[in-house]
Amino acid sequence: MKLYSFYQDLSSSTVVLIALAVILFSGFLVTRITKLLRLPNVSGYILAGILIGPYVLGAIPPAVSEGMSFVSDIALAFIAFGVGKFFKKKVIRRTGGRIVVIAVLESLLAGLLVTLGMLLIFGLDLKFCLLLGAVATATAPASTMMTINQYHAKGEFVNTLLQVVALDDVVCLLAFSAVTAAVGSEKGSASVWDVILPILYNLGAIALGFLCGFLLSRLLTPQRSKDNRLILAIAMLLGLCGICAAVNVSPLLSCMVFGAAYINLTRDKKLFRQLNNFTPPVLSIFFIVSGMNLNVAALGTIGVVGIAYFLIRIAGKYAGAFLGCLITKSPVNTRNYLGLGLIPQAGVAIGLAFLGQRMLPAELGSAFLTIILCSSVLYELIGPASAKAALVLAGVIPKNVSSAVESDAAAGEPELTDATISPEDDLSPACGTEDGQTAGATAEQNGGCPPDASSATPPLS
């Protein structure tokens, strides 16, 4: 008997309130265990979701979990807006070309290896192999970004990782559109508009994100109160998110451009700090609900082909990142460990999996969808741990940080302070002040803030 049967005599509003309490408490309790195992909080949230989900305890009514699909769009919108802060003009001028090379190589090499592996090793249908390879190019940014936030990681390695992850979905979308145009469908060639429309919608969403950044920069005058600043920013983020959902476009790119436009037009970090104080419960609910929706029972049907896809994609991501860093002469630590932070896959990949399923015969389409969904379970479980390993091996967080970084105040959620999420300070002299106007010469020479700067990362002990 599933635990959600105890909700049957309660009103709908009571069920939702209790379910939200169970979701948040479960995340807190499981992260107490993952803390002892030195795993990131994101892993704990996903495990908590699996535990209270329909395949184990069934502690949340199916109607509630199905009705919370909007949480993923909101969480991704907040995450993407925060990532936009890293795309300052001077940072892009310094690292832009290098980042594009790395992102293209790590994405396309993973896709190429998966395609060739499925074709040569298993002799599968060419359409199936091409579509599987196209989806393999995607990386899910959320768990990697949350792991970086949790451990207060800063430095050139973190800047490179964040910017590569941010561009990954662009490469994936273009690769999938090209493959879709090439393979067509079983009943005939795909319509030109089936390929062009998603690209046009994404370009429109990007333009809308820039417009929102411009409007917000004009609306948030110095006289505006803190409360109204927060209200206006969240209202625009939710509106942008809703528009993207209406045309079936991921809010990631649009909200990323929104954040980038705002920071470049205003240099205002206060708004990002305000939003970061608002988001931890939303993000924890997002990852727990993601865990609840993972079809654990389907793992048994993934088979040898699914396992091969899982391993080949990891090898392709690592090799592509290594090669890209080698070509662009990136630091040794970045070259050796960047690939470990690119393992997670969900979100965009799952959305494309449903589209790819419709382009294949029924049996192949079902196998295609099962492979993507089941491998996403594994990727999301090991992704946060591999991201943490990358940060430790690259030297941007100490090896014993997991016991020091947690506190009762964090209550199992990541501590998203401005200092936590401002690795771009390592690339610019904008340290020590909220508006980034001044910095000591020592900080500029060392590539970061001086030890006593007001915006420096808080001690972890």
Side-chain angles (χ1 to χ4, degrees):
M1 182 178 67
K2 298 299 184 182
L3 294 180
Y4 60 73
S5 61
F6 293 107
Y7 293 91
Q8 59 187 2
D9 296 325
L10 301 175
S11 66
S12 58
S13 59
T14 303
V15 169
V16 172
L17 291 173
I18 294 177
L20 285 173
V22 170
I23 288 171
L24 290 170
F25 271 120
S26 67
F28 170 80
L29 293 175
V30 176
T31 53
R32 300 308 91 195
I33 299 173
T34 54
K35 173 187 174 182
L36 297 176
L37 299 175
R38 297 182 181 274
L39 292 173
N41 283 343
V42 177
S43 297
Y45 295 142
I46 294 173
L47 289 172
I50 293 173
L51 183 64
I52 66 175
Y55 299 100
V56 185
L57 297 178
I60 304 298
V64 174
S65 58
E66 291 168 7
M68 296 185 69
S69 58
F70 69 93
V71 174
S72 63
D73 283 339
I74 294 175
L76 289 174
F78 281 116
I79 291 171
F81 182 80
V83 172
K85 180 182 177 182
F86 304 133
F87 286 86
K88 289 183 177 179
K89 287 183 290 186
K90 56 187 172 186
V91 175
I92 293 175
R93 282 196 294 266
R94 183 176 300 185
T95 65
R98 179 170 64 89
I99 297 301
V100 170
V101 170
I102 296 172
V104 169
L105 284 175
E106 60 87 8
S107 295
L108 296 186
L109 187 56
L112 179 62
L113 289 182
V114 166
T115 300
L116 293 177
M118 298 297 106
L119 190 63
L120 300 178
I121 298 174
F122 299 102
L124 297 173
D125 181 81
L126 179 60
K127 291 182 180 180
F128 181 92
C129 297
L130 286 171
L131 288 169
L132 204 59
V135 174
T137 60
T139 296
S143 55
T144 297
M145 293 172 184
M146 285 278 285
T147 304
I148 289 171
N149 290 340
Q150 179 187 347
Y151 294 109
H152 302 189
K154 297 179 70 176
E156 184 175 351
F157 177 84
V158 175
N159 281 300
T160 301
L161 176 58
L162 283 170
Q163 292 177 57
V164 168
V165 166
L167 291 176
D168 206 276
D169 284 344
V170 180
V171 179
C172 176
L173 177 67
L174 294 174
F176 190 84
S177 298
V179 168
T180 300
V183 303
S185 66
E186 189 66 17
K187 297 179 180 179
S189 299
S191 166
V192 173
W193 286 108
D194 290 338
V195 179
I196 294 178
L197 276 180
I199 297 177
L200 292 179
Y201 284 147
N202 276 276
L203 291 175
I206 290 172
L208 189 59
F210 180 83
L211 178 62
C212 286
F214 175 80
L215 291 176
L216 193 64
S217 70
R218 295 297 181 266
L219 288 171
L220 299 191
T221 60
Q223 295 77 25
R224 196 76 67 188
S225 69
K226 286 185 177 180
D227 291 347
N228 284 330
R229 287 168 58 87
L230 189 62
I231 289 170
L232 285 170
I234 292 176
M236 294 187 76
L237 268 174
L238 294 180
L240 190 56
C241 192
I243 293 172
C244 289
V247 294
N248 200 27
V249 168
S250 169
L252 277 172
L253 290 176
S254 184
C255 293
M256 215 177 292
V257 172
F258 183 10
Y262 181 79
I263 191 66
N264 281 291
L265 290 170
T266 65
R267 296 178 60 86
D268 172 28
K269 295 182 182 180
K270 292 180 182 179
L271 179 63
F272 292 89
R273 185 181 299 114
Q274 282 183 277
L275 285 172
N276 289 333
N277 291 332
F278 174 84
T279 55
V282 177
L283 298 181
S284 63
I285 291 173
F286 163 58
F287 284 106
I288 294 168
V289 171
S290 297
M292 289 164 51
N293 291 330
L294 294 177
N295 189 347
V296 180
L299 284 174
T301 66
I302 191 171
V304 178
V305 175
I307 294 172
Y309 169 81
F310 175 77
L311 296 175
I312 292 173
R313 179 183 169 275
I314 291 176
K317 285 285 180 179
Y318 185 89
F322 187 95
L323 181 61
C325 291
L326 193 64
I327 291 173
T328 58
K329 298 180 181 180
S330 298
V332 174
N333 279 352
T334 303
R335 183 188 68 197
N336 290 342
Y337 307 121
L338 183 67
L340 293 177
L342 302 173
I343 290 176
Q345 183 177 52
V348 172
I350 292 174
L352 294 178
F354 283 98
L355 181 59
Q357 179 193 23
R358 297 197 294 267
M359 302 193 66
L360 295 167
E363 187 177 345
L364 275 179
S366 177
F368 178 81
L369 185 62
T370 300
I371 287 172
I372 300 300
L373 292 178
C374 293
S375 60
S376 294
V377 177
L378 301 176
Y379 284 134
E380 287 300 287
L381 286 174
I382 71 166
S386 65
K388 180 194 170 184
L391 297 173
V392 171
L393 292 170
V396 294
I397 60 173
K399 293 182 179 180
N400 62 347
V401 73
S402 37
S403 60
V405 75
E406 293 272 359
S407 67
D408 290 336
E413 283 87 13
E415 181 105 10
L416 298 178
T417 64
D418 185 62
T420 303
I421 63 161
S422 302
E424 82 279 2
D425 289 342
D426 286 346
L427 290 180
S428 74
C431 300
T433 60
E434 289 182 345
D435 60 5
Q437 297 297 322
T438 60
T442 304
E444 186 170 1
Q445 293 168 2
N446 294 336
C449 297
D452 60 347
S454 59
S455 63
T457 303
L460 297 180
S461 59

